[in-house]
Amino acid sequence: MAGLQGTPVLVVGAGLMGSGIAQVAAQAGHAVLLFDARAGAAAQARAKLAATWDGLVAKGRLAAADAQAALARISAASALDEARGVGLVIEAIVEDLEAKRALLAQIEGVVGADAVLATNTSSISVTALAAQLARPQRLVGMHFFNPVPLMKLVEVVSGLHTDPAVAAAVFELAQAWGKTPVHARSTPGFIVNRIARPYYAEALALLLEQAATPALIDAGLRGAGFRMGPCELMDLIGHDTNFAVTQSVFEANFHDRRYQPSLVQREMVDGGLLGRKSGRGFYRHPAEGAPALPVAVHEAPAAAAAVTVHGAGPLADALAEAATKALAAQGWGPARETGSDWVGLAVDGAQLRLTDGRTAAELAAGSGLADIAVFDRPLLQPAPPGTALAYAVAGRAGPAWRSQAGAWLAALGYAPLPLADVPGLLVARTVAMLVNEAADAVLQGVCAPAGADAAMRLGVAWPAGPFEWLAGWPAAEIAALIDRLDAHYRGERYRVSPWLRRRALGESA
Ligand code: NAI
């Protein structure tokens, strides 16, 4: 089919998303018709866009002539009939299957046989939307992110009926509009809304079992390089919206327990604690935001007779370097045991171990050693000094090790965050579950690994994509960690993706 560059575009729905899409299309040189069922809404949106462009001109970000030309290209339609000549329709109306179906059927009666129909739905199956069309092969998902002019990602979603040439044309068009498109198969949540679920779910699971406060969870994940922790992010998105997406992914997956919504969030939604928009969520707004954690002062570790760094690989090497620095002041250095099957520090008879999914209590019970602590996976390498890092001490540990574990982490350059002794702690379990979800998406042909990485970096601004994390964390270790979460909690949430398991076995998954 012919390309869509330069074709007149009809945008239906002049709300938040529709007006953003109209802005981008007009700036890219398309004649844009904007239509909304609510009388006056399209004209209002056009007037708002005029003000937006004026603002950009005032800031020197857009030439006045370009702003004028873009505005001249947009017109508010008073009836759908006016869209007869368009080559592309982008639907951005209310998120309702029947409303969208009715609208698409109506549009099919107006536009030419070659026109492409795109839907900006964030959760409805593209296949279901296409099913009753006369030409279902011309419907494709074009899922923009909010705010449209700023967010680079566009998920180009193909349903069962979608003609690959239509998906390819929309993909190319998105590129021409300065976006980064990623192909996705029509499955619940597409790419971003699906792969991101565990980011919220793991935080909510930790809150449900009272393992940590929201501020501690946020600090730990910010320490791993995420721009916002999950609790402050849910407050920003709105708990009602976040809960609705979780529920829709859960229901669309036939109530797979892996996607089960959280009672913690349900209670907040029921109570009207919706986050920033209602003045209160996990935090109070606007005054508070995520409060700073109380600064814990850690004395230098007590003098030890022997310190050994265990394990091999970049994390063990980084620990060895940090331990060498920490002990240099006392005029000696740590020993190194690269053949161990664990990574961490042995301090006399005590152990400070990188989490492998077992709790400190489980490790203590298995080894007969009481003085054990586990610490979270440092995701940022090299970790800037003072990076927040969660840790937990075995319940049977003596009082001395209880304070020494934190003191050692501080001496190694981290800001230790005391967490309850839960399997996989905070960052390790969250990131393992994110990688696992991405692996399953690839297994099911929802997207390619590179598409998942691009989508998560651009759609939710993650510091890295799931497959980039996987490059630095062996699949076998991630699978083992999730298996241990499963052994601890029992249920279906912690189910290793077959893709990850095959990869762990060295097969090219
Ligand atoms: P919105 O509520 O701001 O705008 C929807 C507009 O559609 C309203 O102006 C409404 O009057 C109009 N409308 C409703 N039914 C209509 C019909 N039958 N014909 C013509 N116009 C109609 O909603 P928003 O946020 O712009 O969402 C629109 C679509 O984009 C939804 O499918 C949503 O799931 C999706 N989306 C939303 C994102 C967001 O962050 N808000 C992100 C990505 C997708």
Side-chain angles (χ1 to χ4, degrees):
M1 63 172 291
L4 293 167
Q5 272 85 329
T7 193
V9 178
L10 166 67
V11 177
V12 190
L16 184 68
M17 298 301 287
S19 45
I21 294 165
Q23 180 183 341
V24 170
Q27 281 182 230
H30 295 256
V32 178
L33 263 180
L34 191 52
F35 176 76
D36 198 287
R38 196 164 50 84
Q44 242 173 35
R46 185 177 183 274
K48 255 181 140 177
L49 283 179
T52 302
W53 279 317
D54 282 348
L56 290 175
V57 170
K59 281 188 209 147
R61 305 232 305 264
L62 190 68
D66 291 344
Q68 258 171 17
L71 185 62
R73 282 192 284 269
I74 294 198
S75 38
S78 48
L80 278 177
D81 289 356
E82 295 171 34
R84 235 167 265 290
V86 303
L88 172 67
V89 179
I90 304 177
E91 168 283 301
I93 67 162
V94 59
E95 187 73 347
D96 178 278
L97 175 69
E98 289 314 322
K100 285 189 193 291
R101 269 187 171 161
L103 173 77
L104 289 168
Q106 198 186 345
I107 286 171
E108 248 197 335
V110 172
V111 298
D114 292 340
V116 166
L117 309 186
T119 170
N120 184 46
T121 180
S122 38
S123 65
I124 299 174
S125 155
V126 173
T127 303
L129 283 173
Q132 291 163 0
L133 291 179
R135 289 192 173 78
Q137 67 277 14
R138 62 159 137 181
L139 183 75
V140 64
M142 197 174 187
H143 186 212
F144 290 85
F145 288 72
N146 178 30
V148 179
L150 298 182
M151 298 296 282
K152 289 270 174 215
L153 181 66
V154 176
E155 294 177 338
V156 176
V157 186
S158 292
L160 276 184
H161 303 286
T162 310
D163 179 348
V166 167
V170 162
F171 189 95
E172 252 181 53
L173 184 71
Q175 279 178 322
W177 289 2
K179 301 295 181 193
T180 305
V182 171
H183 282 294
R185 180 177 288 189
S186 180
T187 45
F190 309 139
I191 306 175
V192 170
N193 278 336
R194 179 216 184 127
I195 297 179
R197 284 347 299 146
Y199 192 60
Y200 314 109
E202 289 310 306
L204 292 164
L206 289 171
L207 291 170
L208 187 65
E209 65 170 298
Q210 305 182 78
T213 60
L216 192 142
I217 290 172
D218 284 345
L221 282 148
R222 266 188 267 115
F226 290 90
R227 201 176 289 170
M228 292 182 92
C231 300
E232 52 190 342
L233 184 53
M234 284 185 268
D235 267 14
L236 175 69
I237 294 169
H239 288 275
D240 49 349
T241 304
N242 190 263
F243 186 66
V245 175
T246 308
Q247 226 169 358
S248 117
V249 171
F250 176 56
E251 275 156 24
N253 280 292
F254 308 110
H255 296 166
D256 183 339
R257 297 271 302 277
R258 184 141 110 205
Y259 305 105
Q260 187 172 296
S262 170
L263 279 178
V264 171
Q265 195 167 39
R266 162 122 220 193
E267 190 74 357
M268 292 177 72
V269 173
D270 287 350
L273 278 70
L274 305 181
R276 288 198 193 183
K277 65 169 100 166
S278 74
R280 194 175 156 197
F282 286 120
Y283 307 111
R284 290 190 182 272
H285 301 277
E288 190 185 296
L293 290 169
V295 179
V297 178
H298 292 273
E299 313 258 310
V307 175
T308 307
V309 176
H310 287 257
L315 279 180
D317 291 346
L319 269 185
E321 200 181 310
T324 304
K325 260 196 217 150
L327 290 173
Q330 298 170 28
W332 61 299
R336 187 77 201 262
E337 185 65 71
T338 52
S340 308
D341 62 357
W342 58 280
V343 170
L345 223 60
V347 180
D348 295 335
Q351 292 180 357
L352 181 60
R353 299 168 61 131
L354 173 68
T355 179
D356 64 4
R358 282 174 288 186
T359 62
E362 285 164 354
L363 288 165
S367 66
L369 194 69
D371 286 345
I372 288 191
V374 285
F375 63 92
D376 210 354
R377 191 170 182 85
L379 208 59
L380 288 184
Q381 285 300 330
T387 295
L389 195 69
Y391 75 106
V393 185
R396 296 173 13 184
W401 184 238
R402 199 156 280 287
S403 66
Q404 285 300 297
W408 269 102
L409 275 182
L412 294 172
Y414 293 104
L417 302 175
L419 194 75
D421 187 19
V422 289
L425 295 172
L426 172 59
V427 172
R429 77 193 255 167
T430 303
V431 170
M433 289 300 282
L434 295 174
V435 171
N436 195 52
E437 196 56 51
D440 240 19
V442 169
L443 178 79
Q444 296 164 7
V446 176
C447 58
D453 284 346
M456 303 321 286
R457 272 183 181 275
L458 298 175
V460 272
W462 283 1
F467 294 92
E468 292 169 309
W469 285 318
L470 183 61
W473 189 3
E477 288 181 22
I478 301 179
L481 185 134
I482 297 172
D483 278 337
R484 285 166 178 149
L485 280 157
D486 182 45
H488 191 96
Y489 289 110
R490 302 284 185 212
E492 292 158 46
R493 188 184 283 281
Y494 301 103
R495 195 171 67 228
V496 174
S497 164
W499 191 97
L500 204 59
R501 234 186 250 298
R502 290 170 203 160
R503 171 82 165 236
L505 289 171
E507 289 178 22
S508 51

